[in-house]
Amino acid sequence: MKKVSYLSSILIFIFLLTACKSKNTALTLPSDKSFVPLFEKRYGLLLNYSIDSMAMPRSLNGEDKIRKVTSPDWTSGFFAGNLWQIYRLTANPQYKQKAQQWTSFNKKESVNSHSHDVGFKVYCSFGEALKVENKQEYKEIIIKGAETLCGRFNEKVGSIRSWDFNKDIWEFPVIIDNMMNLELLFEASKLSGNQKYENIAIKHANTTLKNQFRKDNSCYHVLVYDTINGAVKKKTTLQGFNDDSAWARGQAWAVYGFTMSYRYTKNNAYIDQAEATANFFMSNKNLPKDGIPYWDFNDPSIPKSPRDASAAAVMASALYELYGYTQNKNYLQFADKIITSLSTEHYVLDSGIKAPFILDHSTGNWPKHDEIDEPIIYADYYFLEALLRKKAL
């Protein structure tokens, strides 16, 4: 992808204004004022992207062709979420109007029992909407989505089932990504007063905490369980380099998921694990100096391996929340470093690229050679969320 020749987003302007409040950062305002119109052009492309329920933007390939998906795709809620978050950053009502329209397309996903990603699809759209508009409709859709997700819970295993494919070899797979969907359950309990959703979220988190981490506090991507006795049958991967490697986005999902779970439960075991895995990530010998990881910490091709900006964005957002609970300045400083790096010409897309994305250099699924080193919608979502969390500190 072509890059900009400046620090090119008003988001970094917003970020730096808030960052300068802290004595723990050396960030300074850029001298080149041209980043303001470049921001407006970049985000205008999100605003002007044609509304189409059959064309939710997911990623952009090397030929600048947008990969478009429909609501059943696990990434479908992020674009609406991005618009809601930009509205909160800018107060421009046009983003709110477009966010409302895009969000409506995901309503039916609240009853889609064939996917474990109800949280991503429903909460990243309707959850963001609820932060702006206190509508009963949004609350009911979130609660309905939580009820649907609970249908995938197995009491014997103590977890929510992830994928339905590979049933011939994976009896009951649980992926680390599933920690992210627990926010839907926690929020549904708050909205409804029904503790069932929170109880299931806690059981899933406890099972993950018990089984999914290695001694070095990195996590496995996939665990396969026996539904008869609840035992772990296999520890494996689908998106990492190999079964024993540390897939970068998986580590970020873990830190984010357990920090978020601590928010609702105040269970110290959750925050301890979040800190331990965050430290694994931040101190890893294969982490580049700019804080943006290679797609897998154990890829033998490093330093020629592709980066994953999405893993960095998820980690930055998680670390801002983790800092809020621990007051550990290392987390704040590392999150600041990530956001500073992602806000440079190396990662922000050129305003001339006519596509509704912010960041380049994310890696989706390396083993399947799918979405490698390109803009992916969820990187933008967690980047925006990180900016909002930084601003709120």
Side-chain angles (χ1 to χ4, degrees):
M1 298 296 172
K2 183 182 177 184
K3 305 294 184 299
V4 295
S5 56
Y6 308 100
L7 290 173
S8 60
S9 159
I10 200 170
L11 290 180
I12 193 173
F13 175 72
I14 296 169
F15 168 71
L16 291 169
L17 280 178
T18 57
C20 67
K21 295 179 182 178
S22 172
K23 296 180 180 179
N24 303 319
T25 177
L27 299 176
T28 57
L29 287 169
S31 58
D32 192 335
K33 303 304 181 184
S34 61
F35 61 81
V36 175
L38 286 171
F39 163 83
E40 293 171 348
K41 288 182 179 180
R42 182 77 258 150
Y43 282 85
L45 292 171
L46 276 77
L47 193 63
N48 296 325
Y49 183 68
S50 296
I51 296 174
D52 185 346
S53 64
M54 303 297 290
M56 296 176 180
R58 171 170 167 153
S59 57
L60 185 71
N61 68 19
E63 298 176 351
D64 292 348
K65 183 177 180 181
I66 298 172
R67 180 175 177 179
K68 303 172 182 179
V69 298
T70 55
S71 66
D73 189 86
W74 80 272
T75 67
S76 64
F78 290 117
F79 187 64
N82 290 349
L83 292 167
W84 285 114
Q85 292 187 114
I86 294 172
Y87 169 70
R88 290 169 62 198
L89 285 166
T90 66
N92 182 336
Q94 294 182 78
Y95 290 105
K96 178 180 176 181
Q97 181 181 11
K98 283 296 178 71
Q100 291 169 328
Q101 293 171 296
W102 282 100
T103 298
S104 65
F105 298 147
N106 276 61
K107 181 177 180 179
K108 59 181 174 292
E109 293 309 310
S110 65
V111 294
N112 182 356
S113 62
H114 301 292
S115 170
H116 68 105
D117 284 317
V118 184
F120 282 125
K121 294 184 288 184
V122 171
Y123 197 73
C124 292
S125 53
F126 285 95
E128 289 300 323
L130 190 60
K131 294 175 185 177
V132 176
E133 300 180 310
N134 187 27
K135 289 187 175 182
Q136 184 62 28
E137 177 192 6
Y138 298 160
K139 297 176 183 179
E140 291 173 356
I141 291 170
I142 289 169
I143 295 167
K144 187 179 293 184
E147 187 66 34
T148 298
L149 184 58
C150 287
R152 300 182 66 84
F153 180 75
N154 183 291
E155 187 69 45
K156 177 63 70 172
V157 174
S159 287
I160 297 165
R161 183 187 183 94
S162 295
W163 303 308
D164 290 335
F165 61 84
N166 279 358
K167 288 184 177 180
D168 55 330
I169 58 173
W170 291 348
E171 185 174 345
F172 193 97
V174 177
I175 61 177
I176 193 64
D177 320 38
N178 243 18
M179 286 297 301
M180 303 295 286
N181 289 296
L182 301 188
E183 189 166 13
L184 176 74
L185 299 180
F186 283 121
E187 280 295 321
S189 278
K190 285 179 61 178
L191 293 172
S192 68
N194 187 341
Q195 287 301 115
K196 177 181 78 171
Y197 310 123
E198 179 174 329
N199 291 341
I200 287 178
I202 290 172
K203 288 178 180 178
H204 181 98
N206 288 345
T207 301
T208 302
L209 184 65
K210 177 182 177 182
N211 298 321
Q212 204 123 1
F213 292 90
R214 305 182 181 100
K215 290 182 179 180
D216 64 0
N217 289 302
S218 66
C219 64
Y220 292 94
H221 181 207
V222 186
L223 261 63
V224 180
Y225 288 91
D226 187 316
T227 56
I228 303 301
N229 58 25
V232 176
K233 296 177 67 175
K234 187 176 184 180
K235 298 182 178 183
T236 184
T237 192
L238 187 75
Q239 290 176 257
F241 181 78
N242 60 37
D243 290 350
D244 296 316
S245 70
W247 175 48
R249 194 162 63 252
Q251 313 314 304
W253 290 145
V255 176
Y256 189 113
F258 278 98
T259 303
M260 173 268 294
S261 296
Y262 176 80
R263 182 201 314 158
Y264 293 98
T265 66
K266 297 301 182 285
N267 183 336
N268 287 330
Y270 296 166
I271 203 77
D272 289 347
Q273 186 61 66
E275 289 197 81
T277 304
N279 291 329
F280 168 86
F281 187 107
M282 294 188 300
S283 64
N284 195 283
K285 66 179 182 179
N286 286 331
L287 182 71
K289 291 183 179 180
D290 66 358
I292 314 303
Y294 298 103
W295 75 278
D296 191 301
F297 285 107
N298 300 106
D299 184 347
S301 297
I302 290 173
K304 296 181 180 180
S305 302
R307 302 287 192 96
D308 187 5
S310 74
V314 173
M315 181 60 75
S317 185
L319 289 176
Y320 282 132
E321 182 171 20
L322 189 58
Y323 167 72
Y325 301 133
T326 64
Q327 295 302 298
N328 185 326
K329 296 177 182 178
N330 291 332
Y331 304 143
L332 176 62
Q333 291 169 351
F334 195 86
D336 284 350
K337 178 168 71 171
I338 289 174
I339 294 302
T340 302
S341 296
L342 292 178
S343 300
T344 66
E345 62 184 28
H346 301 293
Y347 293 97
V348 178
L349 282 173
D350 188 291
S351 61
I353 296 176
K354 306 301 180 183
F357 302 97
I358 307 167
L359 301 176
D360 201 355
H361 301 308
S362 288
T363 296
N365 192 334
W366 185 89
K368 290 190 175 181
H369 306 289
D370 185 30
E371 297 176 323
I372 307 301
D373 193 27
E374 60 190 44
I376 305 179
I377 196 70
Y378 45 81
D380 299 346
Y381 178 90
Y382 291 103
F383 175 71
L384 292 167
E385 183 180 70
L387 291 173
L388 285 165
R389 288 180 169 183
K390 171 65 178 179
K391 187 178 180 181
L393 290 177

